[in-house]
Every structure is written in C-alpha cells, then in structure tokens.
C-alpha cells in the first residue's frame, strides 16, 4: 500500500474564515478510496460573514485518546490523521456526496497555535450558523438496545407532560418519589419496573464522556438544531432528558450517579438565554455552564469554551492565549465581571475559596475549576437579580474599579459586624444524595452547634432563636422549594417545636445510631425530617457557626473560630474574612439571619471602613 502524504494546511484568509469538509463525489471516491465504501473528502474555505454560506453540519464529540492514527483521505491523495472517535463521528452518519461538515480536529490546523486561538473565538458562531449539530456519543455496545428501548418507552409515556413545569420540578426528587408523582400526573403511564435491567444500563449510558466535557456545553447551546448520535441511532434531546430526569437523585440500583443527569437543565437555560437576544452577563453564562462538574484537559478552557456565547465586549478584554497562566486568566475574568457589573455579586456565589485547585489565586478570585452547584448556592445565580440585600443595594466604589490591571489585591468597603466563636464539627459532604443521609449529617455533625445556640439565654426568646435556626437551615427559602405541605405553617411550627425540644433537653435519642433514632420520633416528625434532608442541600460544603452577636450562621466549610463577618458594599450577602496583618483573606459568602436584608447596615455610605483583600 502506497504511503500517502500529509495534507498541508493553507492559511485562512480573514479572521472569520473557516474550513469545511465536503464529501467527494461517487466517482472521486471510486478513484481514491483504498477500500469499498471508504469516504474521500475535500477541504474548502468559507467566510462566516458571507451572505451565502453552504449548509453544513457541525459535529460535537470528545477527542478520546489523544492518538492521531486514523487517516482521513482527501481527494488530492493526501491524508489528515485523526483520533478514532473523530473518525467514527464522521463515518457513522449517512452523508451524501456534496454534503459539508465541520469537525474541529480536521478543520482547524492543530499545529498552528495562532490559528487555533483565533478559531476558538469563532466556535459559537461555527456551531450557531450550522444547519444542525450531530452530537456523537460513541459506538453502540452490548447494552445499547436496552438503553434505546427504555428511552423510547419513557419518551412515549411522558410526551404529554415532558415540557410542563410540574414535570421539570421533579428533578431534585429520588426515583421512588418521581414514580409516585408521575402516576398522579399521567395515570396511564407505564414506568418500567424497579428490577428492569434497562435502568442501570441507562445510567451507565449517561456516563459516556461527552456529558462531562466542558466544551460540549457551548456546542449544545449554540446550534438551532441538534440531536445525539450513538452508532447509527439518533436520539432526540427531549427523549434523553425525560429518561434521565426520571432516574432521580437517589435510586435502588448499584450504579454511580450520572453527572449527565445534571447537564440537561443548564443546556436548556443556556439555549433560552442565547435566543432571548439580550446581552447575557458574562458571569451568568460562566455560572450556568459550571453548575455541573464538567471537565477539561486545559483549565483555560473553562473560560475560553464559553467566550463565544458572550454577546458584548467586556470592559476588561479577555484574550485567548493558552500561553498565559491560569491564575492570570481567572484573575482577569473576575476583574472583568466586577468591572462590567459594578458589583461584587460574583463573590456571593463562591462556595469555599480555600478549596481552590489553582495554586496561587488571590482569595477574592473565582476559581472556575470548582463547580458552582446551582442547588448549593446561598444567593441566586442571576447576579443582576439578587434575593438578599445585606448591603442595601450599595454599589462598588470607583476606587475598587480603578485598581491597576496587574494588581492582585482588591480594595472593598463596608463594616465588620460579627465574629465566629464556634463551628460545627464537620462540614456537610457533597455526595449526600438522599434525604436520610443529609438528615444524618444534621444530627451527627450539626447537633453540638444547635445545642450551643439553643442554650444561649442572651436577649432572645427560645422561639426567636428557633426561628433563626430555621431561616438559616432553609436559606430563607430562597429557592422556593418548601412546597411540600409539611413545610407550611402551622405544621412546620409543630415539627420544629418537637425537634428543638429534643435538642434542648439533650435527649439520649440524639446519641443513638441514626437507624434506631428514627423509631424514637413521632411518625410526623420522622417524615418531616426526611423532607428536611432534601431542603438541606443548600448547606452542602458549608458549616454552621456560632457568632458573638447574631447567634448562628451558615458559613464556608473552612471557617474557623476568630474569623469575622463583614457586610461589603456591592455584595448582597455577608462575607467571612480572615485577618492577615492589616489585610484580609476572603473566605466566602455566608448567611446570617438578621443581616440578610440590610438590618445590620446602619452606617452612611461614606462612613464605611476600607478592607484590602489579598
């Protein structure tokens, strides 16, 4: 067999020029292909700004093993080596001669760093201007027929309820609860039995790499039309979404929870935001994409993979440069967000800055390698519409915005309002996927803190202290998730009184094994506590802390005694700070009942103290 020469890329003519693959004619295939049915392609240049563009298909996929070993044959007798997965993505679709296709591994000269940086900026346009996007999930395997059949069965049964708010609201529930709710919503639906082997097959299918990659978010959001491909089978987004939602956050099958289940809603929200035609704030898009734990080989791509979706120029330019450090990029992005928004709201959405995976980030810089879970935040993720108003809507001072671009410090204004004296023994784990596990965390890890707070006499009545604890546990019901009838007065008061009486009395009940403790509670309290576990998702990764003045707070996981609570202008929630000489480390946002709606912000704006965050 003759050795083919490698294709030599021709430079792109304009900043908006891209390459497209065009499937060669049948005659050319017969002339050049070395095996029956082998496809031969041509490469053409087109400009995205032209009035007429050929209709083309964009392909979203994961590179897989970075081993370029499969030749893509071109009609000039040259080849381009591709990965196995890229080759499959091209060859499993039924293209006709003359069809145009865009595949990044081939259409971008991967050896030209300058071109690659420029083309990354165009990604959203490339996908957005394509006729459709085919999302390649990989080849079929021995479980594929089971997966396809359960997807089809669920899609058919759920077709009348799929798009309803009632169905989408079932997302945070476990499988058993979802089954019961669906029978009420759609009595005729037939849900596969719990022992049906197709359930675990479906969950394993959702572990395919595409669902966890950072770049694929943009590739699903930008195009007008897209569908999933597995082998020669096409799966509609709505069908797979319905099946994934039905699995639930807790289920009886011994298979790891699929993070893919969490990716569908951010994709839907991203598509809706992009098509609203209004300028979407940079931070909103970044937070939307990072609400699930997506991965990437290069941590620059946590930013670069989304820049194409931003419909305006940030006041501080964000250049695509893979030679820059990740620390400098994340610092620039945080500054750009503060500059564009004129606020510190981005700081409200950090979970715990001491958990950063990036070596030398300033404490106030958002670490985009740490997922910002949409269900575990204190504040709403829409930074222009906060729920809380701790600083009474005060804006960031001009002095904050005029810092030199290279500065690693951030000057902010506000007041110290309280001090941490005691923290709960352990922070809430992030893998508690059932109500019972979260309830166990509440009693085994938070009980000592609850006991300390409830036994303080100070100037508040027992009922007032109980209310503070409730407001903290439920983050002031920010997510509107307390819709269960057990979470409406007066039932909630009865349950809280029963619970807190047990704690205040230091009953031996609480020292028992959790499985035994259930039997000591009234049936109403036990059922209510299971629902409480669902609500406690807001506390994931945080600790409960005892404060000098305000009794009780929900703080970042790394809070320690001696840390201070501050209200900073431009932040809608209080912040935990740690003194370091005459400067401060930003530890993270917190929730303190009595501060959240401006009650503690009793100074004039020009009387604020100055804090230097490092």
């Amino acid at each position: 067999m003759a050795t083919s020469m490698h294709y030599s890329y021709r430079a792109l003519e304009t900043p908006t020029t891209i390459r497209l693959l065009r499937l060669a004619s049948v005659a050319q295939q017969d002339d050049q292909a070395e095996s029956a049915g082998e496809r031969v392609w041509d490469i053409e240049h087109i400009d995205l700004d032209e009035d007429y563009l050929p209709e083309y298909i964009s392909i979203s996929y994961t590179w897989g093993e970075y081993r370029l070993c499969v030749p893509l044959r071109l009609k000039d007798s040259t080849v381009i080596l591709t990965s196995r997965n890229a080759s499959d993505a091209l060859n499993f679709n039924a293209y006709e001669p003359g069809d145009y296709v865009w595949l990044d591994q081939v259409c971008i000269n991967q050896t030209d760093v300058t071109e690659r940086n420029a083309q990354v900026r165009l990604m959203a346009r490339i996908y957005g201007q394509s006729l459709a996007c085919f999302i390649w999930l990989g080849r079929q395997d021995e479980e594929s027929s089971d997966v396809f059949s359960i997807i089809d069965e669920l899609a058919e049964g759920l077709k009348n309820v799929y798009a309803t708010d009632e169905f989408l609201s079932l997302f945070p529930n476990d499988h058993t609860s979802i089954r019961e709710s669906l029978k009420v919503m759609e009595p005729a639906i037939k849900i596969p039995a719990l022992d049906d082997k197709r359930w675990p097959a479906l969950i394993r299918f959702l572990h395919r790499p595409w669902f966890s990659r950072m770049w694929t978010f943009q590739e699903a959001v930008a195009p007008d039309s897209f569908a999933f491909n597995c082998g020669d089978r096409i799966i509609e987004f709505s069908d797979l979404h319905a099946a994934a939602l039905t699995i639930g956050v807790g289920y009886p099958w011994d298979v790891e929870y699929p993070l893919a289940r969490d990716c569908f809603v951010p994709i839907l929200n991203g598509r809706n935001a992009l098509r609203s035609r209004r300028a979407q704030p940079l931070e909103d898009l970044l937070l939307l994409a990072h609400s699930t734990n997506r991965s990437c080989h290069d941590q620059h791509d946590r930013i670069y993979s989304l820049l194409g979706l931003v419909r305006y120029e940030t006041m501080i330019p964000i250049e695509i440069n893979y030679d820059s450090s990740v620390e400098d990029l994340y610092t620039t992005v945080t500054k750009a967000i503060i500059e564009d928004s004129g606020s510190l709201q981005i700081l409200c959405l950090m979970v715990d800055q001491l958990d950063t995976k990036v070596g030398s980030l300033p404490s106030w810089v958002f670490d985009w390698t740490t997922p910002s879970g949409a269900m575990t935040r204190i504040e709403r993720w829409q930074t222009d519409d906060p729920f809380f108003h701790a600083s009474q809507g005060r804006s960031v001072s001009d002095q904050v915005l005029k810092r030199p671009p290279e500065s690693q410090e951030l000057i902010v204004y506000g007041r110290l309002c309280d001090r941490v004296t005691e923290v709960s023994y352990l922070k809430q784990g992030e893998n508690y996927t059932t109500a019972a596990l979260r309830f166990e965390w509440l009693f085994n890890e938070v009980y000592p803190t609850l006991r300390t707070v409830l036994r303080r006499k100070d100037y508040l009545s027992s009922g007032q202290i109980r209310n503070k604890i409730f407001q903290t546990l439920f983050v002031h019901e920010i997510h509107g998730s307390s819709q269960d009838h057990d979470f409406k007065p007066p039932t909630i008061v009865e349950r809280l009184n029963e619970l807190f009486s047990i704690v205040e009395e230091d009953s031996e009940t609480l020292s028992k094994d959790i499985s035994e403790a259930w039997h000591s509670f009234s049936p109403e309290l036990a059922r209510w506590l299971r629902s409480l576990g669902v609500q406690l998702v807001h506390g994931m990764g945080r600790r409960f802390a005892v404060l000098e003045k305000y009794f009780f707070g929900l703080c970042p996981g790394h809070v320690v005694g001696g840390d201070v609570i501050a209200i900073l202008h431009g932040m809608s929630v209080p912040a935990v700070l740690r003194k370091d000489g005459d400067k401060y480390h930003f530890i993270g946002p917190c929730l303190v009942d009595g501060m959240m709606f401006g009650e503690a912000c009793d100074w004039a704006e020009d009387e604020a103290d100055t804090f230097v965050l490092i």
Side-chain angles (χ1 to χ4, degrees):
M1 181 174 68
T3 302
S4 300
M5 293 184 62
H6 289 279
Y7 175 74
S8 179
Y9 282 93
R10 179 164 55 91
L12 298 173
E13 294 81 3
T14 73
T16 53
T17 298
I18 66 170
R19 298 182 185 90
L20 290 179
L21 283 167
R22 183 175 182 272
L23 188 58
S25 67
V26 175
Q28 289 169 325
Q29 283 190 353
D30 292 342
D31 291 342
Q32 301 294 339
E34 296 190 6
S35 61
E38 186 177 20
R39 293 173 173 179
V40 176
W41 300 83
D42 191 13
I43 291 182
E44 296 183 10
H45 290 200
I46 65 107
D47 193 320
L48 291 173
D49 284 344
E50 290 179 359
D51 292 334
Y52 169 76
L53 290 177
E55 292 184 339
Y56 65 93
I57 298 297
S58 57
I59 297 179
S60 175
Y61 69 109
T62 59
W63 280 41
E65 292 184 9
Y66 196 82
R67 183 167 173 260
L68 306 181
C69 58
V70 183
L72 177 91
R73 301 198 175 278
L74 302 175
K75 74 174 187 179
D76 64 359
S77 299
T78 62
V79 299
I80 297 175
L81 293 181
T82 68
S83 67
R84 173 65 63 186
N85 207 39
S87 177
D88 286 348
L90 275 174
N91 290 316
F92 272 85
N93 282 306
Y95 300 115
E96 299 290 336
D99 285 350
Y100 286 90
V101 180
W102 186 88
L103 181 87
D104 67 342
Q105 201 173 111
V106 174
C107 295
I108 298 175
N109 183 356
Q110 301 296 331
T111 63
D112 185 334
V113 175
T114 302
E115 177 185 309
R116 198 175 69 205
N117 289 348
Q119 292 280 289
V120 165
R121 270 284 184 188
L122 296 175
M123 286 293 191
R125 286 192 64 185
I126 292 171
Y127 282 94
Q129 292 181 226
S130 64
L131 179 66
C133 176
F134 286 162
I135 295 174
W136 174 250
L137 298 180
R139 298 188 178 199
Q140 296 180 18
D141 58 25
E142 64 277 2
E143 290 188 322
S144 293
S145 59
D146 287 339
V147 172
F148 299 153
S149 68
I150 195 171
I151 291 173
D152 291 343
E153 189 173 324
L154 289 169
E156 177 62 25
L158 297 170
K159 63 183 180 182
N160 293 328
V161 299
Y162 166 71
T164 64
D165 291 340
E166 187 178 8
F167 175 71
L168 297 177
S169 70
L170 299 177
F171 176 83
N173 297 340
D174 60 27
H175 181 74
T176 300
S177 298
I178 291 174
R179 293 177 75 95
E180 293 172 354
S181 298
L182 288 177
K183 289 176 182 177
V184 175
M185 294 168 58
E186 189 72 11
I189 190 174
K190 294 182 179 179
I191 305 173
L194 291 175
D195 61 357
D196 192 318
K197 67 175 183 177
R198 295 177 299 170
W199 284 115
L202 173 62
I203 297 173
R204 283 188 285 270
F205 179 77
L206 291 172
H207 280 282
R208 293 201 174 208
W210 185 90
F211 297 104
S212 64
R213 299 296 294 160
M214 194 68 231
W215 274 103
T216 58
F217 175 81
Q218 177 179 246
E219 295 160 7
V221 166
D224 285 336
S225 174
F226 73 100
F228 297 104
N229 285 69
C230 181
D232 58 2
R233 171 65 190 262
I234 295 178
I235 307 170
E236 295 299 327
F237 175 86
S238 57
D239 294 350
L240 189 56
H241 180 202
L245 189 150
T246 309
I247 292 170
V249 295
Y251 44 74
W253 310 290
D254 188 20
V255 187
E256 184 180 354
Y257 180 78
L259 292 177
R261 185 177 181 271
D262 300 339
C263 84
F264 292 96
V265 171
I267 288 173
L268 278 176
N269 290 340
R271 291 177 63 81
N272 291 336
L274 192 65
R275 283 152 186 79
S276 69
R277 301 301 179 188
R278 68 183 181 89
Q280 195 73 6
L282 170 62
E283 65 268 30
D284 285 5
L285 288 168
L286 292 172
L287 290 163
L288 189 61
H290 288 279
S291 61
T292 55
N293 190 18
R294 292 175 178 268
S295 61
C296 53
H297 293 301
D298 189 321
Q299 299 306 326
H300 291 83
D301 287 335
R302 295 194 177 276
I303 305 298
Y304 295 160
S305 66
L306 300 168
L307 285 182
L309 297 175
V310 180
R311 293 299 180 87
Y312 65 95
E313 290 296 323
T314 57
M315 295 176 70
I316 298 177
I318 302 172
E319 303 294 339
I320 294 179
N321 179 8
Y322 284 93
D323 292 330
S324 68
S325 70
V326 173
E327 291 87 345
D328 285 347
L329 174 61
Y330 290 6
T331 301
T332 298
V333 169
T334 303
K335 288 179 180 178
I337 290 172
I338 292 173
E339 184 90 16
D340 291 347
S341 65
S343 79
L344 301 177
Q345 276 304 98
I346 187 65
L347 305 187
C348 298
L349 302 173
M350 298 177 177
V351 177
D352 199 329
Q353 282 303 89
L354 294 185
D355 280 334
T356 179
K357 299 175 184 177
V358 179
S360 55
L361 280 181
S363 65
W364 53 272
V365 171
F366 202 106
D367 178 9
W368 297 102
T369 66
T370 302
S372 175
M375 291 298 294
T376 63
R377 64 190 184 273
I378 288 178
E379 182 54 283
R380 289 172 176 164
W381 70 265
Q382 296 96 336
T383 55
D384 59 348
D385 182 28
F387 181 83
F388 297 112
H389 301 280
S391 64
Q392 296 182 348
R394 296 177 181 184
S395 60
V396 171
S397 166
D398 289 342
Q399 297 302 315
V400 175
L401 306 179
K402 291 179 180 178
R403 297 294 290 166
E406 67 278 3
S407 175
Q408 299 293 298
E409 297 179 348
L410 186 70
I411 294 180
V412 296
Y413 298 88
R415 284 278 182 91
L416 297 182
C417 298
D418 211 336
R419 180 176 172 274
V420 176
T421 61
E422 179 183 328
V423 298
S424 58
Y425 180 62
L426 293 173
K427 65 179 180 178
Q428 184 177 355
E430 297 182 2
N431 295 317
Y432 291 168
T433 55
T434 67
L437 284 173
R438 295 190 197 110
F439 167 72
E440 183 174 355
W441 159 77
L442 172 68
F443 277 91
N444 290 349
E445 300 177 9
V446 180
Y447 165 63
T449 307
L450 288 176
R451 181 178 59 188
T452 299
V453 174
L454 283 166
R455 289 182 172 185
R456 284 179 60 172
K457 300 304 179 184
D458 293 7
Y459 60 89
L460 292 183
S461 68
S462 176
Q464 289 173 313
I465 295 176
R466 293 179 183 191
N467 184 63
K468 282 185 173 291
I469 293 175
F470 166 70
Q471 295 290 2
T472 305
L473 286 173
F474 292 94
V475 194
H476 285 261
E477 302 180 72
I478 178 176
H479 300 283
S481 53
S482 300
Q483 297 173 358
D484 187 284
H485 69 276
D486 270 344
F487 283 91
K488 293 180 180 178
T491 310
I492 191 170
V493 176
E494 297 172 2
R495 298 290 82 78
L496 279 170
N497 285 337
E498 186 175 352
L499 171 64
F500 290 143
S501 294
I502 293 173
V503 177
E504 286 179 309
E505 294 168 6
D506 201 16
S507 168
E508 292 182 1
T509 299
L510 296 175
S511 63
K512 295 179 181 179
D513 179 85
I514 198 68
S515 60
E516 296 179 6
W518 283 109
H519 302 297
S520 303
F521 301 140
S522 68
E524 293 80 8
L525 178 61
R527 183 162 61 87
W528 186 82
L529 287 171
R530 290 187 188 277
S531 297
L532 173 64
V534 174
Q535 309 297 323
L536 289 175
V537 69
H538 310 307
M540 292 257 185
R542 298 185 174 90
R543 295 179 194 269
F544 289 100
V546 179
L547 309 179
E548 283 184 351
K549 291 175 57 180
Y550 286 83
F551 290 88
F552 196 60
L554 183 61
C555 297
H558 283 289
V559 66
V560 298
D563 286 347
V564 293
I565 310 296
I567 291 177
L568 303 178
H569 295 183
M571 277 188 70
S572 65
V573 301
V576 178
L577 306 180
R578 184 169 302 160
K579 195 170 179 59
D580 185 346
D582 60 349
K583 300 178 181 180
Y584 291 86
H585 293 279
F586 181 84
I587 305 302
C590 64
L591 184 142
V592 180
D593 186 57
M595 291 188 189
M596 306 309 294
F597 298 100
E599 307 96 315
C601 191
D602 57 2
W603 59 91
E605 196 157 354
D606 59 0
E607 295 176 351
D609 297 325
T610 302
F611 303 94
V612 179
L613 304 184
I614 57 177

